[in-house]
């Protein structure tokens, strides 16, 4: 009798590069896939599609350092350093040539990971995250990146930010246990500290732009049409990658489940 696929995420913890990293495994098939959690959510964000994906691949969902419930090391919370860490994740789980899914902030780290070393990943799925240069920041992302320091944001309980984000998601309300997981993931100063990632954009996205021609891995780009944090000007990411490789396709998704990340101004 065949074993039915796992349909629920069961988080576990392991140690990678001396950090406590939360992850989940499941699924079956001939291919492996790494899924990086979006911000400010966690690996539980994949709960709705976990069963479907598990029918086609062996899944490893990961909260990167400083995100979700994984331990933080400040120097790892940047696109390039997280990309290097993703390679360590693949090595730690003995995944030879996995697919790599990096939505949201995972866009830039996924592309960094694919550029060094080339060919390490079978395919990439990215989108709704900053990766285009020159930077054209608007709204809350501009505020977060250009603020002189993190101190004002440390005065805001990250659970309030998560609540505000979830309130703007159209067409989906996460179950209470998943909502609480998101809130716990960014409680206290954890959201403010995770902002280090996007604050590295001005220095690191130009570096990524130079590496795009080296990415020969097939890439699927999914971008929301109503995303106020990564708006239309940043769709140039799709154009840049398409010009750099002959393997890339892009898709723009409309309103279903779209969200707006509000300003996190200290009162």
């Amino acid at each position: 009798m065949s074993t039915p696929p796992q349909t629920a995420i069961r988080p576990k913890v392991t140690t990678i590069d001396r950090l406590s990293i939360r992850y989940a495994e499941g699924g079956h098939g001939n291919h492996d896939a790494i899924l990086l959690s979006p911000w400010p959510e966690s690996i539980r964000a994949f709960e709705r599609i976990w069963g479907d994906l598990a029918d086609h691949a062996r899944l490893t969902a990961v909260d990167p350092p400083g995100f979700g419930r994984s331990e933080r090391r400040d120097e790892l919370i940047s696109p390039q350093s997280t990309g290097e860490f993703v390679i360590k994740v693949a090595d730690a789980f003995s995944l030879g040539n996995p697919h790599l899914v990096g939505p949201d902030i995972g866009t830039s780290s996924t592309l960094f990971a694919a550029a060094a070393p080339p060919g390490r990943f079978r395919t990439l799925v990215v989108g709704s995250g900053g990766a285009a240069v020159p930077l054209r920041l608007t709204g809350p992302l501009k505020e977060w990146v250009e603020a002189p320091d993190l101190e004002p944001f440390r005065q805001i309980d990250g659970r309030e930010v998560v609540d505000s984000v979830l309130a703007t998601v159209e067409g989906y309300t996460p179950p209470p246990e998943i909502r609480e997981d998101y809130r716990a993931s960014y409680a206290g100063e954890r959201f403010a500290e995770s902002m280090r990632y996007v604050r590295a954009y001005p220095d690191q996205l130009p570096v990524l732009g130079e590496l795009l021609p080296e990415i020969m891995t097939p890439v699927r780009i999914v971008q929301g049409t109503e995303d106020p944090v990564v708006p239309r000007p940043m769709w140039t990411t799709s154009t840049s990658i398409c010009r750099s490789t002959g393997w890339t396709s892009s898709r723009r998704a409309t309103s279903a489940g779209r969200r707006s990340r509000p300003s996190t101004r200290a009162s």
Side-chain angles (χ1 to χ4, degrees):
M1 179 181 296
S2 61
T3 302
Q6 179 179 318
T7 58
I9 291 178
R10 297 181 175 89
K12 305 175 185 178
V13 175
T14 190
T15 300
I16 302 176
D17 195 22
R18 305 186 308 279
L19 290 176
S20 176
I21 300 298
R22 191 172 70 158
Y23 73 101
E25 293 179 296
H28 58 89
N30 297 323
H31 299 290
D32 297 300
I34 297 174
L35 286 67
L36 305 179
S37 62
W39 182 53
E41 291 113 335
S42 72
I43 56 174
R44 301 295 299 274
F46 297 110
E47 194 89 39
R48 295 179 74 193
I49 60 173
W50 190 255
D52 291 334
L53 295 178
D55 287 337
H56 302 283
R58 297 182 295 269
L59 307 175
T60 303
V62 178
D63 284 334
F67 296 94
R69 304 292 283 273
S70 287
E71 189 177 2
R72 183 181 91 242
R73 186 184 298 149
D74 289 349
E75 61 266 28
L76 291 182
I77 307 180
S78 71
Q80 188 165 14
S81 295
T82 299
E84 294 168 356
F85 190 85
V86 169
I87 297 173
K88 294 181 180 180
V89 168
D91 292 342
F93 288 98
S94 300
L95 305 178
N97 188 222
H99 302 279
L100 180 55
V101 180
D104 195 65
I105 58 162
T107 294
S108 50
S109 58
T110 290
L111 294 172
F112 267 118
R120 182 64 177 85
F121 299 97
R122 183 178 293 270
T123 65
L124 313 176
V125 180
V126 299
S128 291
V133 288
L135 283 176
R136 298 171 184 172
L137 303 174
T138 62
L141 184 59
K142 179 179 177 67
E143 177 189 3
W144 301 342
V145 170
E146 297 182 354
D149 57 58
L150 290 173
E151 194 54 38
F153 304 103
R154 292 191 179 103
Q155 308 307 312
I156 305 169
D157 187 338
R159 290 173 293 190
E160 297 178 12
V161 180
V162 172
D163 287 341
S164 297
V165 170
L166 294 180
T168 68
V169 176
E170 297 182 2
Y172 175 65
T173 300
E177 66 274 15
I178 294 181
R179 181 189 187 92
E180 287 307 310
D181 185 75
Y182 296 165
R183 298 178 83 245
S185 294
Y186 295 97
E189 297 182 359
R190 277 187 63 86
F191 181 83
E193 296 300 332
S194 69
M195 289 169 59
R196 295 174 185 272
Y197 188 99
V198 295
R199 289 169 63 80
Y201 280 178
D203 292 330
Q204 296 197 357
L205 293 192
V207 176
L208 178 59
E210 295 295 322
L211 294 174
L212 288 181
E214 302 177 18
I215 299 175
M216 301 305 296
T217 306
V219 183
R220 167 58 60 87
I221 304 165
V222 182
Q223 174 69 50
T225 61
E226 304 296 334
D227 192 330
V229 178
V230 186
R232 289 175 182 267
M234 299 191 79
W235 283 353
T236 54
T237 305
S238 304
T239 303
S240 298
I241 300 175
C242 287
R243 288 174 177 171
S244 299
T245 79
W247 300 96
T248 305
S249 62
S250 63
R251 176 175 296 172
R252 294 176 180 175
T254 52
S255 61
R258 72 177 182 239
R259 70 185 181 193
S260 168
R261 296 194 186 103
S263 171
T264 54
R265 295 184 185 276
S267 58

